[in-house]
Amino acid sequence: KYLLVFDFDETIINENSDDSIVRAAPGQALPEHIRQTFREGFYNEYMQRVLTYMGDQGVKMGDFKTVYENIPLSPGMPDLFQFLSKNHELFEITLISDANMFGIEANLRAAGFYSLFRKIFSNPSGFDKRGYFTLGPYHSHKCLDCPANMCKRKILTEYLAERAQEEVEFERVFYVGDGANDFCPSVTLTSSDVAFPRKGYPMHRMTQEMEKKQPGAFQATVVPWESAAEVARYLQEVLKK
């Protein structure tokens, strides 16, 4: 069995969903005083402030849901998901995302692919008594390269250990992502694994830089993609062998 790990923002979907939900805000924009509170590495805290502002403006659960449901999938992603549906028994599929549970679930259910995923790891979210959309951090960690609320390497490592305890060993791990926070877990992949960075995005650039600086240090095979159909084709070849 193979483990297939997906990122969500700008990987499964063709946008950053945190930016997308601003479409539900009055005038589809945020006021400058909120935007100025953003600090590098503390995006989750920033989004908590954004959501409080939107709640104050009367943006409701249904408004957010509509936005999430309408975010387009990335090029070729439906093809890849169709392929995975047909070969479901060969792949265990998980999703690790710094977005939020409510948004991911709304989007994947609308697209018809929610049931493909065995497990989704993302920031906890929901609606409080006032009907405000609330967001929390996923966990805390000691990784210096990742945002304060989530280290995907920690999540992936713990998941593999947990599955090993349940006597599930994966022949290979495939990781599909785009961002710097996807580079962190992909560094732990072995030479039999495959990293699929989206072409021209930070994860792709970082694998290239590492290869230049320390040839051979990045062990996984790197297969960049522009359309997820390329990922499907690669996996098809793997199954033929």
Side-chain angles (χ1 to χ4, degrees):
K1 207 170 187 180
Y2 303 110
L3 177 66
L4 183 52
V5 184
F6 279 94
D7 164 52
F8 183 66
D9 288 318
E10 297 187 289
T11 298
I12 287 178
I13 56 169
N14 210 24
E15 297 177 8
N16 177 331
S17 60
D18 285 340
D19 297 338
S20 308
I21 58 169
V22 174
R23 293 203 281 269
Q28 304 201 344
L30 295 173
E32 196 51 41
H33 72 266
I34 300 265
R35 290 217 306 268
Q36 280 174 352
T37 65
F38 171 70
R39 286 188 306 144
E40 197 60 53
F42 294 90
Y43 202 82
N44 185 266
E45 279 178 26
Y46 166 71
M47 281 310 295
Q48 291 173 29
R49 288 190 291 276
V50 169
L51 294 175
T52 302
Y53 162 77
M54 290 176 77
D56 290 342
Q57 299 301 309
V59 182
K60 298 275 185 286
M61 176 174 162
D63 306 319
F64 287 109
K65 193 162 177 272
T66 301
V67 171
Y68 283 121
E69 289 176 344
N70 288 295
I71 299 173
L73 297 181
S74 289
M77 202 48 74
D79 303 342
L80 174 53
F81 284 158
Q82 299 290 353
F83 164 78
L84 292 171
S85 302
K86 288 195 189 93
N87 298 281
H88 201 245
E89 66 294 342
L90 300 171
F91 294 96
E92 180 162 305
I93 306 169
T94 61
L95 198 166
I96 308 178
S97 164
D98 200 0
N100 69 79
M101 288 302 278
F102 174 80
I104 291 171
E105 197 169 316
N107 180 272
L108 291 176
R109 283 192 191 283
F113 297 115
Y114 180 72
S115 62
L116 274 181
F117 296 86
R118 179 180 185 266
K119 190 118 172 79
I120 294 174
F121 301 90
S122 191
N123 299 302
S125 59
F127 292 83
D128 66 12
K129 301 195 282 293
R130 301 168 299 172
Y132 281 34
F133 191 7
T134 61
L135 177 68
Y138 180 76
H139 61 188
S140 58
H141 60 84
K142 296 184 176 67
C143 176
L144 300 173
D145 299 321
C146 286
N149 61 297
M150 179 175 283
C151 170
K152 295 186 178 188
R153 182 196 304 211
K154 185 176 191 219
I155 295 171
L156 179 58
T157 310
E158 286 173 359
Y159 184 75
L160 289 169
E162 180 192 308
R163 294 303 276 143
Q165 277 190 313
E166 292 159 356
E167 297 183 358
V168 178
E169 293 286 348
F170 299 106
E171 205 174 310
R172 302 171 81 175
V173 178
F174 300 107
Y175 193 107
V176 188
D178 77 291
N181 64 351
D182 296 311
F183 177 71
C184 184
S186 67
V187 173
T188 65
L189 300 175
T190 68
S191 56
S192 59
D193 303 330
V194 183
F196 294 97
R198 191 170 183 180
K199 215 174 260 180
Y201 283 71
M203 179 187 177
H204 185 208
R205 286 197 294 276
M206 290 165 88
T207 52
Q208 289 172 315
E209 279 159 24
M210 189 171 190
E211 192 45 50
K212 259 199 213 97
K213 284 185 194 137
Q214 311 158 266
F218 192 89
Q219 293 186 19
T221 302
V222 179
V223 180
W225 59 279
E226 274 174 5
S227 162
E230 297 163 62
V231 178
R233 278 199 293 278
Y234 188 94
L235 296 177
Q236 224 156 0
E237 288 305 312
V238 168
L239 298 188
K240 279 181 192 158
K241 281 170 190 161

